Amino acid sequence: MDKVFNFILDNKYIGIGALIVFVIVIILILYSKNQANSKRKNISNNNSKKVYTLNDCKSYEDINFKIDEYQNNLKNELLRNKKIIENAKNKGYIKANTVWTKRFQEFTQISNTLYKNLEYENSRKLNANKFHRYTSLHFRSMILGKLAYKDYIDSKKVRNEINELLVAIGKKQVRVTASEKRELYDVKDTCVKTTQYLYDRMIAIEQKTGHLRDKIRDECGKRGKEWYDRLQKNKQ
């Protein structure tokens, strides 16, 4: 026992040194874990902040459908009036965001494709082997619904501002030529239609997406139920 005690005393500095090294190693390990967790958190935050576009709504798996005559005519009508809207904005008559006018043609086509695909899948029993196809369609439809809402709000603002401009013109507070006045009335009528179209499309996509969500839960087995539970948990 005395020999062991003497050995510890003789080697106390070695013991202290080993303890210091051990503590340093523990600190480095904890630091490394914190860095990894922070990195994962940043990646998650970046994904949640991602700005989605119409390109994120496309998939080669979707069945293509032609747009109907009304959608096609409305798309072409806005295309004709887009320059008038931009001119009014450049002159300071309207201040609302007009980005939606630049993507309306593409939006019309993509939203029609998703709407018809949702309608098609909701009308039949789902195949559990196509689980990823269905969840992709659901996710992309959610993105489109949000884009439709944003464009609806911006379209509504343009419509309201042009209406206010026409009132000001009627009161002779703003002077424009007779042809410019007619053009602004045409634009107002077009914006009334686009605003209603975007609103209706948003509501329809939202309803059909909800229906598909429930079908995935009920008809895609265990994976469908787990996927649905994760969706509900993320809402909390």
Side-chain angles (χ1 to χ4, degrees):
M1 178 66 74
D2 290 339
K3 290 183 179 180
V4 173
F5 180 73
N6 289 332
F7 177 81
I8 293 174
L9 288 177
D10 292 340
N11 294 276
K12 62 181 179 179
Y13 294 110
I14 296 175
I16 292 171
L19 180 61
I20 292 172
V21 170
F22 177 76
V23 170
I24 291 173
V25 170
I26 293 298
I27 291 173
L28 289 174
I29 291 173
L30 291 175
Y31 176 78
S32 179
K33 286 184 177 180
N34 287 335
Q35 289 292 97
N37 289 335
S38 178
K39 187 174 182 181
R40 282 194 292 269
K41 189 174 181 180
N42 287 335
I43 291 173
S44 177
N45 289 338
N46 288 336
N47 286 338
S48 64
K49 294 177 182 177
K50 179 180 176 181
V51 178
Y52 291 103
T53 68
L54 286 174
N55 281 332
D56 296 305
C57 300
K58 299 177 183 178
S59 172
Y60 70 91
E61 292 184 306
D62 286 337
I63 304 167
N64 292 318
F65 295 89
K66 289 184 178 180
I67 63 174
D68 59 35
E69 186 177 0
Y70 176 78
Q71 292 180 84
N72 193 53
N73 290 339
L74 181 58
K75 178 184 68 174
N76 292 332
E77 187 176 326
L78 181 61
L79 184 62
R80 290 193 301 270
N81 289 324
K82 190 164 63 172
K83 184 178 288 188
I84 300 170
I85 295 174
E86 286 302 315
N87 286 338
K89 186 176 179 67
N90 292 336
K91 290 179 180 179
Y93 294 149
I94 61 175
K95 298 179 181 179
N97 191 339
T98 57
V99 172
W100 64 275
T101 64
K102 299 175 183 177
R103 68 182 181 194
F104 188 79
Q105 283 188 299
E106 186 179 17
F107 176 90
T108 305
Q109 183 63 56
I110 294 174
S111 68
N112 183 71
T113 297
L114 285 178
Y115 177 86
K116 292 293 188 181
N117 275 265
L118 285 167
E119 193 172 54
Y120 174 76
E121 299 298 356
N122 284 338
S123 66
R124 56 209 292 268
K125 183 173 176 58
L126 301 185
N127 181 345
N129 292 329
K130 294 183 178 180
F131 171 76
H132 294 296
R133 145 75 175 162
Y134 305 136
T135 56
S136 169
L137 178 59
H138 177 274
F139 179 68
R140 291 180 291 109
S141 298
M142 292 285 289
I143 294 173
L144 187 88
K146 292 177 181 178
L147 291 175
Y149 176 74
K150 184 181 184 307
D151 286 359
Y152 157 70
I153 294 298
D154 290 339
S155 175
K156 187 177 180 181
K157 286 179 181 177
V158 170
R159 180 200 67 188
N160 292 343
E161 289 186 2
I162 290 179
N163 187 56
E164 290 170 5
L165 173 60
L166 288 168
V167 170
I169 292 171
K171 293 179 179 180
K172 301 190 184 304
Q173 295 170 342
V174 177
R175 295 190 178 276
V176 297
T177 65
S179 62
E180 287 176 326
K181 186 176 180 179
R182 283 194 300 272
E183 287 177 343
L184 289 169
Y185 269 108
D186 288 341
V187 169
K188 178 194 170 185
D189 291 341
T190 299
C191 286
V192 167
K193 295 175 188 175
T194 57
T195 299
Q196 189 63 50
Y197 171 80
L198 289 165
Y199 178 80
D200 291 343
R201 183 48 47 105
M202 174 188 69
I203 295 299
I205 290 285
E206 186 179 78
Q207 291 174 343
K208 292 187 181 300
T209 302
H211 189 192
L212 179 64
R213 175 201 62 212
D214 294 344
K215 282 175 69 66
I216 294 172
R217 176 197 63 197
D218 298 336
E219 299 175 14
C220 287
K222 182 180 177 182
R223 283 193 301 179
K225 290 182 175 62
E226 290 175 346
W227 171 84
Y228 178 87
D229 290 340
R230 285 195 299 272
L231 276 185
Q232 300 308 307
K233 186 177 180 180
N234 290 336
K235 289 181 179 180
Q236 298 175 359

